[in-house]
Amino acid sequence: MQEMPASKAYRLLESGPVVLVVTARDGKPNVMTMGFHMVMQHAPPLIGCIIGPWDYSFRALRDSGECVIAIPTVDLAEKVVDIGNCSGETTDKFETFGLTCAPARDVAVPLIADCLANIECRVADTSLVDRYNLLILEAVRIWIDADRRERRTLHHRGDGTFTIDGRVIDLRERMVKWKYLQD
Amino acid sequence: MQEMPASKAYRLLESGPVVLVVTARDGKPNVMTMGFHMVMQHAPPLIGCIIGPWDYSFRALRDSGECVIAIPTVDLAEKVVDIGNCSGETTDKFETFGLTCAPARDVAVPLIADCLANIECRVADTSLVDRYNLLILEAVRIWIDADRRERRTLHHRGDGTFTIDGRVIDLRERMVKWKYLQD
């Protein structure tokens, strides 16, 4: 996997793909599916995530302050749904779903080599967890599989149906005010 | 336009479409383009939005506590980008872009009849504006154009390129834990 600047996290997340969140506890990795997230800031790159005490990953994330946001593509659709419909409390999800770990650089949480991209994150602010289950993460490093042919991400429509990325349209010429985002 | 329950806002927003935010000030409507938003909670339906003092809409939204989130489709792509690249301070965007107003029910802000759906919103929490420019909105009413043929939304990849919705895959059968979201 190739590295891309952490400041470019918005290029992967602003479009709203469903993502996987990897955590680790006592050296054992776990993974959950997440649909409620957004880019909060370009620099430093902050990502807001809704993860609550009802998620088994919540404690690992709160205790360790680290996670990886992995971005799956359409070939992983069934796994993405199944990962979100069982708990790490009773299931070894990496084994059950045959996910391939790869070492991260800055966090003690593995990357998922099967995904298009992996964003190493540190928890930046937990002050809104009690009120809104809002964890604010800072992206610290990004890895992307540049050779991957399947790059279409999945967008959850909230009920178990997903839109797959279709055609891309390029309107960069019209971005007169926000031109710097193209650097 | 047909009404759908406000509690279903996540069905329109979780997939991460770029949206338009309508506000009004002294009875004059304005509109901005927004890419940083997420569903924060199913019930009551809360939506987190990053809107800062650099946005002309910010003051209207903060003063009135009301807005409409309109969801455009691919036929409006150029307008969506152009709306995001000029300011309501100097441009009457409704006139310039030929947008059609329709009356909302619960807020003193117009709907955009040209869009697929419109979500009437009230500001629920401004306490995080200073730190993160995060406005938390509650969806109070939703209107959807049920007869519209073009329903493909746009997903901003952060740099002026957009993914258009492609095929939909239905994995509802696998949603064993989250079945209630299909009601």
Side-chain angles (χ1 to χ4, degrees), chain A residues 14-15 82 84-85 125 128 131-132 155-156 159-160 162 164 166-167 169 171-172 174 177-178 182, chain B residues 14-15 82 84-85 125 128 131-132 155-156 159-160 162 164 166-169 171-172 174 177-178 182:
Chain A
E14 189 173 341
S15 65
D82 292 349
N85 279 276
D125 192 334
L128 306 166
R131 221 177 338 158
Y132 291 114
H155 300 262
H156 189 208
D159 63 350
F162 295 80
I164 302 170
R167 193 161 58 84
I169 52 172
L171 298 171
R172 282 178 293 183
R174 302 176 101 96
K177 186 170 161 190
W178 301 103
Q182 294 165 20
Chain B
E14 188 173 342
S15 65
D82 293 348
N85 279 276
D125 191 335
L128 306 166
R131 219 177 338 159
Y132 291 115
H155 300 263
H156 188 209
D159 63 350
F162 296 79
I164 303 171
R167 193 162 57 85
V168 172
I169 52 172
L171 297 171
R172 282 180 293 183
R174 302 175 101 96
K177 187 170 160 188
W178 301 104
Q182 293 164 21

Side-chain angles (χ1 to χ4, degrees), chain B residues 68-145:
Chain B
V68 164
I69 295 180
I71 302 180
T73 46
V74 60
D75 48 306
L76 298 168
E78 285 83 3
K79 288 188 186 185
V80 167
V81 174
D82 293 348
I83 287 167
N85 279 276
C86 65
S87 171
E89 197 171 355
T90 50
T91 308
D92 179 336
K93 299 201 205 180
F94 270 82
E95 192 183 306
T96 303
F97 300 109
L99 301 174
T100 314
C101 287
R105 179 84 58 88
D106 287 333
V107 299
V109 174
L111 314 177
I112 303 179
D114 317 277
C115 284
L116 169 64
N118 284 270
I119 307 173
E120 300 184 26
C121 296
R122 285 217 184 86
V123 175
D125 191 335
T126 57
S127 65
L128 306 166
V129 166
D130 291 341
R131 219 177 338 159
Y132 291 115
N133 304 296
L134 173 61
L135 273 163
I136 301 179
L137 308 176
E138 180 170 348
V140 292
R141 208 174 273 277
I142 304 178
W143 303 97
I144 187 152
D145 185 349

Side-chain angles (χ1 to χ4, degrees), chain A:
Chain A
M1 282 190 280
Q2 278 186 1
E3 191 160 8
M4 68 183 255
S7 61
K8 296 282 192 283
Y10 69 98
R11 297 278 184 92
L12 296 169
L13 294 175
E14 189 173 341
S15 65
V18 69
V19 298
L20 300 174
V21 181
V22 190
T23 51
R25 202 166 166 181
D26 304 324
K28 208 189 142 199
N30 184 32
V31 57
M32 64 173 273
T33 301
M34 179 168 73
F36 290 5
H37 60 82
M38 70 171 160
V39 183
M40 291 186 67
Q41 192 175 281
H42 285 108
L46 296 184
I47 303 157
C49 301
I50 305 296
I51 297 177
W54 58 84
D55 294 312
Y56 185 68
S57 304
F58 177 77
R59 222 175 108 189
L61 186 48
R62 206 165 180 182
D63 290 352
S64 74
E66 297 180 341
C67 69
V68 165
I69 294 180
I71 302 179
T73 46
V74 59
D75 49 304
L76 297 168
E78 284 84 1
K79 286 188 187 184
V80 166
V81 175
D82 292 349
I83 287 166
N85 279 276
C86 64
S87 170
E89 196 171 354
T90 48
T91 308
D92 179 335
K93 299 201 205 180
F94 271 82
E95 192 183 306
T96 302
F97 299 109
L99 301 173
T100 313
C101 286
R105 180 84 58 88
D106 288 333
V107 298
V109 175
L111 314 177
I112 303 180
D114 317 276
C115 285
L116 170 64
N118 283 270
I119 307 173
E120 300 184 27
C121 296
R122 285 216 185 85
V123 174
D125 192 334
T126 57
S127 64
L128 306 166
V129 167
D130 290 342
R131 221 177 338 158
Y132 291 114
N133 304 296
L134 172 61
L135 273 163
I136 301 179
L137 308 175
E138 179 171 348
V140 293
R141 207 174 273 277
I142 303 178
W143 303 97
I144 187 153
D145 186 348
D147 298 328
R148 208 169 197 289
R149 294 186 67 173
E150 181 57 82
R151 306 181 86 80
R152 291 173 301 163
T153 59
L154 296 156
H155 300 262
H156 189 208
R157 311 198 313 166
D159 63 350
T161 64
F162 295 80
T163 313
I164 302 170
D165 284 344
R167 193 161 58 84
V168 172
I169 52 172
D170 185 347
L171 298 171
R172 282 178 293 183
E173 272 190 8
R174 302 176 101 96
M175 295 283 276
V176 291
K177 186 170 161 190
W178 301 103
K179 209 167 201 57
Y180 75 95
L181 295 176
Q182 294 165 20
D183 293 341

